[in-house]
Structures are given as structure tokens and as C-alpha cells.
Amino acid sequence: MHRWKTLTLSTAAFVLASGCSSTHEGEVERVAEQLHAALRVDDGAAACDLLSEEAQEELQESGDSCEVAVLEAGVSPDGRVEKVSVYDTSGQVRYDDDVVFLSEFPEGWKVIAAGCEKQAAAPYDCRVQGG
Amino acid sequence: MSRFLRTSSLSIFFLALFVGALVGQAWAGWLQFNDQQVAQGMGEIGLGRYLVSADFAVDVTENWQSEYLQFLLYIVATVFFVQRGSPESPSHGGLGTDKEQKLGEHTLKDSPAWAKAGGARTAIYAWSLTLVMATIFVVSWLAQSIAGWAAFNETRLQQLQDPLSWGTYLVNPDFWSRTLQNWQSEFLAVGSMAVLAIYLRQRGSAESKPVGEPHYSTGDKAG
């Protein structure tokens, strides 16, 4: 009986550990907000620091540096946060005029896509995207 | 201590196998998870972080629920269904008489207290194995659905798609693929065991008829 109780408790622990993502929601929202804040003041370097490596490389494919390309990408930085979702190592911040996707890296949460528009039955189409 | 080890060696053997296999699964699953993360341009995570991840939880619980379902069904099915010649089958279906079940006036001095108590307590105790196995199955399956939902949404977000609600995930092919791929293997294993044990033997095993027992001997008569 004791073993069954242990198994049940272990299961509950798994559910709590995997189902509860609220601990990361604040961090995810903070990084997305920092990106928008950097874009609002045209601080390309600060914005690029918040992007994943692949997102930075994708921006540089235009021939410009990341710092320049991220400001010209056309991401709307003035929206209001409507919803934050976090599932394990992935996060999404929905604004009233933008959607930002994030992923957890060893150095912290990074933006993998921003300036995203919903496509019918397909992944979002994003102005900044990588990873 | 040595007496405990000797009289509980079966439980200890399986507990050791369980722990060893779970550790191996955690290690292999962690490496596989990080391989996939790197391939998708995402970050790697540490082993400790992986152990509380939805990916690890769903991989563990989807197997737990199916194993407990397997034994739950076997316990209940062998009450009502008969397989002639199988040592796992009763010679006749049904719940048995009080005399056969050592209940009522047939209880023994050492019978469990709830078996001797009568009334609701004895009725519950008579189904206690099924009730506990069913509870673990339901809890494990619920845990699989929640962990699987989180892991599925983690992948959807990586692919720049909106997450699904838990209710929507319950009718998603991912949930049913994980569930049914485990169920089919459990049902096959139990069914084939019931049939193979009619004709084949393992000397000394409680799961087998005695080697010289006729093929037609069934259940309690076979022992």
C-alpha cells in the first residue's frame, strides 16, 4: 500500500511540476516587454541582446547588422499585453497588436520570434524569426 | 534483515529494476530532449530541469497508466471470463461463494480485520485491489493528459503555433496515439500470456501450471 501511495504522490508531483508554469510567466513577460521597450527607444543593441542566436542570424541575412535590421523589421512595440502562456521551455506573449514567442536558454529566456501575425491553419508569420 | 530480504525478494527485485530503468529512462530522455532542442535551435537544459519537465512526465505516466490498466483489467476480467486450460483463469466465472472466499462464518482466525468485519467494510475490502489499481490508473492517465498537453504545447510554441486548451488536447491525435500505442501492447501481452500458459510451462513459477499438469486443467484446479 505504501508503494502505491508513493506512486500516486510522485504522479501528483509530476503534474504540479509540469502543469504549473506561472513561475516562469513573469520572466517571459518581462523579456518580451524589454524587447518592446528597446524598440520604442530605437535601442537596436539592447533589442538584439534579447533575441536568440538564430533570430539574430536571420536578421543579419539582410546584409545589415542585427542592431539595424531589428529596428527596421517593423515590429509594433506599443501594444498592451493580453495573455502570457508558458509551457516548459516555451513561452508566448500576446499583445493586442503583436505576438512574441520565447524559448528558455541556459542564459535565460530569449525571443525566438516577434512581430508575428496569425496565418489560417499555419504557423504565425513573423517579422523577426529564428530558431 | 536477511530474513526480510529472503521473504520479500520478489518485491525488492522489481523495485530495483524499476529504479534502474527509471534512472536509465531519465538519462536517455534528457540526452534525446537536448538533441532535439539543439536541432531546432533551442537551448539545452540540465538533468534536474529535465526531471521536472512535461516531456519526462508524459513519457513516464503514459507507461504507468497502461501498466496499471493492464493489471486492473486482468484482475476484473478473470472474475468474469474463463479461458479453458489457463492457470490465470478461474475454473468457473463469478465472484465465488462465501465459503470459497473465506467470508462470513468461513473467516479464519488470521483473516484480515475488514474481511471479518462484515457489512460495507467487507464489501469494500472484497474489491480493494481493483479499487486501488483503478485509482492509480485514473490518476496516472490524468497526469499523462496534463503533462502531454504541456509537452505538446511546448512544441507548438516552438513551431510558432498557438497553444491548445487541455480539453482540445484530449481529442487530439497526440493524446490518443500515446495512449493507444501503450494499451495495444499491454492487451497483446496479457492475452498471449493467458493462451500460451495453456500449453507451455515454467517449472517453479506461480504463473505457470505444474509441468506435468494436463493442458485442459484450468485455474485453481491447475495448481
Side-chain angles (χ1 to χ4, degrees):
Chain A
M1 193 67 83
H2 177 69
R3 197 162 16 142
W4 289 342
K5 201 187 288 179
T6 305
L7 289 175
T8 310
L9 288 173
S10 304
T11 307
F14 271 131
V15 174
L16 288 172
S18 61
C20 291
S21 53
S22 59
T23 50
H24 290 297
E25 283 179 4
E27 178 67 6
V28 165
E29 182 177 352
R30 190 178 62 79
V31 173
E33 285 286 81
Q34 283 178 338
L35 175 69
H36 276 190
L39 295 176
R40 278 197 297 274
V41 297
D42 290 334
D43 187 348
C48 285
D49 279 346
L50 299 164
L51 301 180
S52 70
E53 210 168 288
E54 289 210 4
Q56 292 182 41
E57 289 169 3
E58 191 85 10
L59 282 169
Q60 288 164 351
E61 282 180 10
S62 64
D64 288 325
S65 66
C66 178
E67 289 80 357
V68 172
V70 74
L71 297 176
E72 293 177 348
V75 176
S76 171
D78 301 315
R80 187 172 48 83
V81 174
E82 289 186 334
K83 187 178 181 186
V84 180
S85 304
V86 178
Y87 294 93
D88 249 353
T89 63
S90 298
Q92 182 196 53
V93 180
R94 298 175 67 88
Y95 290 85
D96 51 8
D97 61 350
D98 186 19
V99 178
V100 177
F101 289 87
L102 302 97
S103 189
E104 188 181 358
F105 289 81
E107 62 271 29
W109 288 88
K110 295 280 183 183
V111 173
I112 60 169
C116 301
E117 285 179 31
K118 193 166 177 61
Q119 308 292 301
Y124 277 80
D125 184 31
C126 304
R127 294 171 184 273
V128 173
Q129 181 177 330
Chain B
M1 187 63 180
S2 64
R3 184 169 180 275
F4 173 76
L5 291 176
R6 212 168 44 247
T7 56
S8 302
S9 58
L10 186 62
S11 305
I12 294 166
F13 172 68
F14 276 106
L15 182 62
L17 282 184
F18 165 68
V19 171
L22 190 62
V23 168
Q25 181 193 346
W27 186 264
W30 171 55
L31 296 175
Q32 182 193 31
F33 180 85
N34 277 340
D35 275 351
Q36 291 169 347
Q37 288 285 99
V38 170
Q40 293 164 349
M42 304 297 168
E44 294 181 88
I45 61 174
L47 180 59
R49 175 76 179 80
Y50 176 71
L51 292 179
V52 295
S53 72
D55 291 81
F56 181 56
V58 69
D59 286 350
V60 169
T61 53
E62 74 175 41
N63 286 282
W64 284 10
Q65 60 88 0
S66 66
E67 301 300 337
Y68 280 94
L69 176 66
Q70 174 191 31
F71 280 100
L72 169 66
L73 287 181
Y74 208 36
I75 293 164
V76 176
T78 51
V79 174
F80 300 105
F81 298 106
V82 172
Q83 176 56 60
R84 186 171 185 266
S86 176
E88 302 292 340
S89 164
S91 51
H92 58 276
L95 296 171
T97 64
D98 278 2
K99 186 178 180 187
E100 288 169 338
Q101 295 293 319
K102 298 182 174 60
L103 289 173
E105 63 187 61
H106 307 286
T107 53
L108 308 175
K109 182 168 157 281
D110 294 333
S111 288
W114 278 46
K116 290 194 277 192
R121 276 196 289 174
T122 297
I124 292 169
Y125 188 66
W127 285 82
S128 56
L129 185 57
T130 293
L131 290 171
V132 170
M133 297 297 274
T135 301
I136 298 174
F137 160 64
V138 170
V139 170
S140 301
W141 201 19
L142 178 66
Q144 179 207 320
S145 75
I146 295 172
W149 166 59
F152 189 69
N153 277 343
E154 178 185 28
T155 303
R156 281 184 67 89
L157 290 178
Q158 288 175 349
Q159 295 168 344
L160 309 184
Q161 293 176 293
D162 282 329
L164 303 179
S165 69
W166 179 65
T168 306
Y169 178 69
L170 291 185
V171 293
N172 187 278
D174 183 76
F175 175 64
W176 287 103
S177 172
R178 284 182 178 276
T179 296
L180 292 171
Q181 69 172 309
N182 284 284
W183 285 6
Q184 59 84 15
S185 63
E186 307 303 341
F187 298 156
L188 175 67
V190 170
S192 57
M193 172 68 187
V195 174
L196 290 174
I198 299 171
Y199 305 104
L200 305 177
R201 307 285 185 271
Q202 175 53 57
R203 184 171 183 157
S205 173
E207 301 307 311
S208 167
K209 294 192 280 195
V211 180
E213 191 74 22
H215 292 332
Y216 59 76
S217 294
T218 302
D220 39 15
K221 285 183 180 173

